[in-house]
Amino acid sequence: MATMKDVARDAGVSIYTVSATLSGSANVSAELRARVTESVSRLGYERNSTARGLKRGTSSLLGLIVSDVTNPYFTELVEHIQDKAHQTGYSVLLGISDHDVDREAELLALMRSHQAAGTILCPAGGEEDYADGRLSRGRMRLIAVDNTAPGLGVDTVCLDNRVAADLAVSHLLELGHHRIGVVAGMRQQYVSRERLAGRDAALARAGIASDPELVTYGDFRLEEGHACGRALLTLASPPTAIFVANNLMLIGVMRALAEAGVRVPDDMSVCSIDDFPWAPAFQPALTVVRQPIAAMAEAAFERLVERLGGDDGPATARDFAPELVVRRSCASIGNG
Amino acid sequence: MATMKDVARDAGVSIYTVSATLSGSANVSAELRARVTESVSRLGYERNSTARGLKRGTSSLLGLIVSDVTNPYFTELVEHIQDKAHQTGYSVLLGISDHDVDREAELLALMRSHQAAGTILCPAGGEEDYADGRLSRGRMRLIAVDNTAPGLGVDTVCLDNRVAADLAVSHLLELGHHRIGVVAGMRQQYVSRERLAGRDAALARAGIASDPELVTYGDFRLEEGHACGRALLTLASPPTAIFVANNLMLIGVMRALAEAGVRVPDDMSVCSIDDFPWAPAFQPALTVVRQPIAAMAEAAFERLVERLGGDDGPATARDFAPELVVRRSCASIGNG
DNA sequence: GTGAAAGCGCTAACAG
DNA sequence: CTGTTAGCGCTTTCAC
């Protein structure tokens, strides 16, 4: 592969002129600039980002760590972040934590090691996991998306999870449901607790006591959603509706329901958080609370860019408003 | 951030000893090794991959270029490759070509620029796009997955696309369907042409002439699948079954069918290539031809590792056998 | 078994 | 406006 030195020799200029030309510096005469660009394309020269990164102490790499790419929420997030990164001249180093905080820590170290300018992280853990300050190591900028922990000291971009759950449960309540099963996420995660809190708020407002046996806990993955759905179905007094905390567990619940011959929404109403491309194509089309993923991805990215631009202000937190998308998976209890 | 020099000073050894220890060289006494490891953890030292990459002329980065992460096939591929990479000490630099060969070329240059040891590419183009040899630039090793072009001179890992389409169409034929609509992929792609050829083979074997108006072309994305589905429905003499070339277009077709009030499988049988997590949860559960994605990802990865290990043999091509997964979206024509 | 030292390809401060 | 030069942090040959 040709190096800058080769280009300089070929163009009959100094190595500085080549570097300056490639970086778009104004201090190069039009003539030399032309000679350089010509040599560059003739030699098929491509700048070595590794050397550049070493010298500059930072690279054009951006870390992106999600817990599970196969979850459509994260998939879409990856898509949007990738898109913004490309537009801005960054590349994305992708990490998958698989919901494991140790793996996540490894990945963060990796991003630092590759001199990533910043990293967008969907944290897998809860407050205690981050108490050791692992998120603020080194000088790599970090933005937390989706999940967070209070007092983390990191910029965050989240859904307003309380409102989201409240929206879903209130919808069910309005349809006349009183016994609403819950498939919640992992207890240690702030996002799970917030969603549970939103559900409690809706119940409290309706004057309904929360029956603990109606609350099951999964890990945001399909299999446990399936198990939770089954557990709810085998209750002595099963619910008439189920609120599911995320998309993947929703699919699991739908499978459990189908296997048990429970019809939706006739026998059971179902509402979850997270919209996804297949939700409207289901029979019945699924009623969900949608997260504005594109806007959230953009906000996270913009914040990161601000930080990279030198912003050293205190950590900010942005909450995004969820939206109830009514389709056909929830029916009023009389119509069951 | 601490550097190797800092560690050396702290441990009272030379910089060489630190480097050798970190690289697991045998030429370090147990005592010095211990002192080094201790200093490393005390200082929180993390090796700078950028400097390492510059010096070594290659990095622990692996490029992975897919055309669309939101396609579950690619999502799962990303998941598996990522997994293998992690196990082997590599990190994944993700690129999304968005089905654009120019973008793809940019991404390839990017991977080279970051000294990626190798790249796994799901090519977006056809033979003529790669005639300029753009795939063999530099010394970065390349493996093509999913799509390819004959005579590319690159190792490939693909589905046996002819057999896959043949399997799907034969299934429909056996159920008594004669007018089988087709939603094919982009014409310039080899993978599309192969799938079409497989369908032709099945038809020929059954002694059925191919009606050109039954063949529509999409771009492997949902929207065009939707449009193709609609087009097929509005034919003067519509098909009784539809064979769809991939998962995303299948969703589009299902939507079009639902909108038109066409019941599956009662009024229309549907079969596609690509299984995905939601296929069994659909009403009706979808009959598909499954690609062994995990095995394909593994094969691609292994091949890349072989190449990185110095294998300089001629390009190899591996075809994987598809599997028909019969669920409930295809019915015999009499039962319609 | 250990250390010293020469760069990898590039950027940017300094000189002219 | 252009060239020279000193490293960035690391690996690795060559001496000891």
Side-chain angles (χ1 to χ4, degrees):
Chain A
M1 296 245 55
T3 112
M4 217 170 228
K5 215 154 132 189
D6 300 330
V7 176
R9 193 180 324 113
D10 185 87
V13 299
S14 86
I15 196 174
Y16 164 78
T17 307
V18 180
S19 178
T21 303
L22 259 44
S23 301
S25 157
N27 303 332
V28 181
S29 67
E31 195 217 323
L32 288 201
R33 176 180 303 276
R35 281 202 344 237
V36 168
T37 2
E38 215 253 294
S39 294
V40 163
S41 64
R42 177 142 37 87
L43 270 48
Y45 169 76
E46 287 168 355
R47 186 152 71 178
N48 183 326
S49 303
T50 306
R52 183 161 209 248
L54 175 59
K55 181 64 195 177
R56 305 189 58 200
T58 184
S59 74
S60 58
L61 254 27
L62 248 34
L64 175 56
I65 304 178
V66 298
S67 33
D68 178 6
V69 246
T70 66
N71 177 321
Y73 171 79
F74 293 123
T75 309
E76 215 173 303
L77 195 69
V78 170
E79 165 94 346
H80 286 116
I81 297 284
Q82 172 79 50
D83 203 48
K84 297 290 290 182
H86 172 224
Q87 288 167 23
T88 331
Y90 285 101
S91 309
V92 173
L93 200 49
L94 180 69
I96 300 178
S97 70
D98 200 20
H99 293 102
D100 178 348
V101 289
D102 294 331
R103 173 92 186 94
E104 180 180 283
E106 266 180 48
L107 286 167
L108 248 11
L110 194 106
M111 302 305 175
R112 281 193 295 265
S113 164
H114 283 287
Q115 309 269 66
T119 288
I120 292 179
L121 167 72
C122 301
E127 306 172 59
E128 55 296 349
D129 295 311
Y130 303 120
D132 60 1
R134 60 173 68 175
L135 296 190
S136 18
R137 287 244 246 150
R139 63 202 159 116
M140 182 178 67
R141 315 298 329 218
L142 199 73
I143 311 285
V145 178
D146 180 47
N147 180 37
T148 179
L152 215 58
V154 162
D155 294 316
T156 53
V157 171
C158 293
L159 183 72
D160 189 329
N161 285 297
R162 280 186 198 241
V163 171
D166 196 325
L167 233 36
V169 173
S170 296
H171 178 60
L172 260 10
L173 253 13
E174 278 162 25
L175 290 168
H177 297 278
H178 282 66
R179 280 190 72 73
I180 302 176
V182 177
V183 180
M186 284 167 282
R187 294 165 210 251
Q188 77 274 21
Q189 282 197 201
Y190 185 71
V191 52
S192 305
R193 295 203 302 268
E194 286 290 289
R195 288 181 188 179
L196 224 31
R199 167 260 190 185
D200 292 344
L203 244 41
R205 229 179 23 250
I208 296 177
S210 162
D211 182 347
E213 79 169 7
L214 286 177
V215 182
T216 61
Y217 293 88
D219 62 356
F220 285 134
R221 282 179 271 215
L222 199 150
E223 291 70 26
E224 297 209 355
H226 184 250
C228 288
R230 284 241 287 249
L232 252 15
L233 245 27
T234 54
L235 247 32
S237 164
T240 62
I242 301 179
F243 160 61
V244 190
N246 86 329
N247 48 14
L248 252 29
M249 295 197 297
L250 169 65
I251 309 294
V253 168
M254 294 302 286
R255 276 205 202 166
L257 260 26
E259 286 162 15
V262 176
R263 291 165 310 163
V264 176
D266 313 56
D267 306 328
M268 182 75 77
S269 287
V270 178
C271 184
S272 84
I273 293 181
D274 287 331
D275 197 8
F276 54 98
W278 296 273
F282 260 88
Q283 288 302 339
L286 302 165
T287 292
V288 300
V289 173
R290 176 188 292 159
Q291 303 200 39
I293 307 184
M296 292 170 72
E298 183 155 352
F301 191 85
E302 301 286 309
R303 191 73 190 103
L304 183 49
V305 168
E306 280 170 28
R307 288 301 193 184
L308 295 179
D311 179 338
D312 263 316
T316 59
R318 280 195 65 183
D319 274 6
F320 279 75
E323 176 198 1
L324 178 70
V325 182
V326 177
R327 290 197 274 244
R328 333 208 121 268
S329 62
C330 302
S332 83
I333 193 155
N335 292 354
Chain B
M1 297 243 56
T3 113
M4 216 169 229
K5 215 155 133 191
D6 301 328
V7 176
R9 192 180 324 113
D10 184 86
V13 299
S14 86
I15 197 171
Y16 163 79
T17 308
V18 180
S19 177
T21 303
L22 259 45
S23 301
S25 159
N27 303 332
V28 180
S29 67
E31 195 218 322
L32 288 202
R33 179 181 300 277
R35 272 183 16 217
V36 168
T37 1
E38 214 253 293
S39 294
V40 162
S41 64
R42 177 142 37 85
L43 270 50
Y45 170 75
E46 288 167 353
R47 187 151 70 176
N48 183 325
S49 304
T50 307
R52 182 161 209 248
L54 174 59
K55 183 64 196 175
R56 305 190 58 201
T58 183
S59 74
S60 59
L61 254 27
L62 248 36
L64 174 57
I65 304 178
V66 298
S67 34
D68 179 5
V69 247
T70 66
N71 178 322
Y73 171 79
F74 292 122
T75 308
E76 216 174 301
L77 195 70
V78 170
E79 166 93 347
H80 286 116
I81 297 284
Q82 172 79 50
D83 202 47
K84 297 289 289 179
H86 172 224
Q87 288 166 26
T88 331
Y90 286 102
S91 310
V92 172
L93 200 50
L94 180 70
I96 300 177
S97 70
D98 200 20
H99 293 100
D100 178 349
V101 289
D102 294 331
R103 173 93 187 92
E104 181 180 281
E106 266 178 50
L107 286 167
L108 248 12
L110 195 105
M111 303 304 175
R112 281 192 296 265
S113 163
H114 283 286
Q115 310 269 65
T119 288
I120 293 179
L121 168 73
C122 301
E127 305 171 59
E128 54 296 349
D129 296 310
Y130 303 120
D132 59 2
R134 59 173 68 175
L135 296 191
S136 18
R137 284 245 246 153
R139 64 203 159 117
M140 182 179 66
R141 316 297 330 217
L142 200 74
I143 312 284
V145 178
D146 180 50
N147 180 36
T148 179
L152 214 57
V154 162
D155 294 316
T156 53
V157 171
C158 292
L159 183 72
D160 189 330
N161 285 297
R162 279 187 198 240
V163 171
D166 197 324
L167 233 36
V169 174
S170 295
H171 178 61
L172 260 9
L173 253 13
E174 279 161 24
L175 290 169
H177 295 278
H178 282 68
R179 281 190 71 73
I180 302 176
V182 177
V183 179
M186 284 168 283
R187 294 165 209 251
Q188 78 274 21
Q189 283 197 200
Y190 185 72
V191 52
S192 304
R193 294 203 303 268
E194 286 291 289
R195 289 180 186 179
L196 224 30
R199 167 261 189 183
D200 291 345
L203 244 43
R205 230 177 24 249
I208 295 178
S210 162
D211 182 347
E213 80 169 4
L214 286 177
V215 182
T216 60
Y217 294 89
D219 61 357
F220 285 133
R221 281 179 274 215
L222 199 151
E223 291 70 26
E224 296 210 356
H226 185 251
C228 289
R230 285 241 288 249
L232 251 16
L233 245 28
T234 53
L235 247 34
S237 162
T240 62
I242 301 180
F243 160 61
V244 189
N246 86 331
N247 47 15
L248 252 29
M249 293 197 298
L250 168 65
I251 309 293
V253 167
M254 293 302 287
R255 275 206 203 166
L257 260 27
E259 286 162 14
V262 176
R263 291 165 308 162
V264 177
D266 313 55
D267 306 329
M268 181 75 77
S269 287
V270 178
C271 184
S272 85
I273 293 182
D274 288 330
D275 196 8
F276 53 100
W278 296 272
F282 259 88
Q283 288 302 340
L286 301 166
T287 293
V288 300
V289 173
R290 176 188 291 156
Q291 304 200 38
I293 307 185
M296 292 170 73
E298 183 156 352
F301 192 85
E302 301 286 310
R303 192 74 191 102
L304 184 49
V305 168
E306 280 170 29
R307 288 301 194 183
L308 296 180
D311 179 340
D312 262 318
T316 59
R318 280 194 65 183
D319 273 6
F320 279 75
E323 176 198 359
L324 178 69
V325 181
V326 178
R327 290 196 275 246
R328 333 208 120 269
S329 62
C330 301
S332 83
I333 194 156
N335 293 354

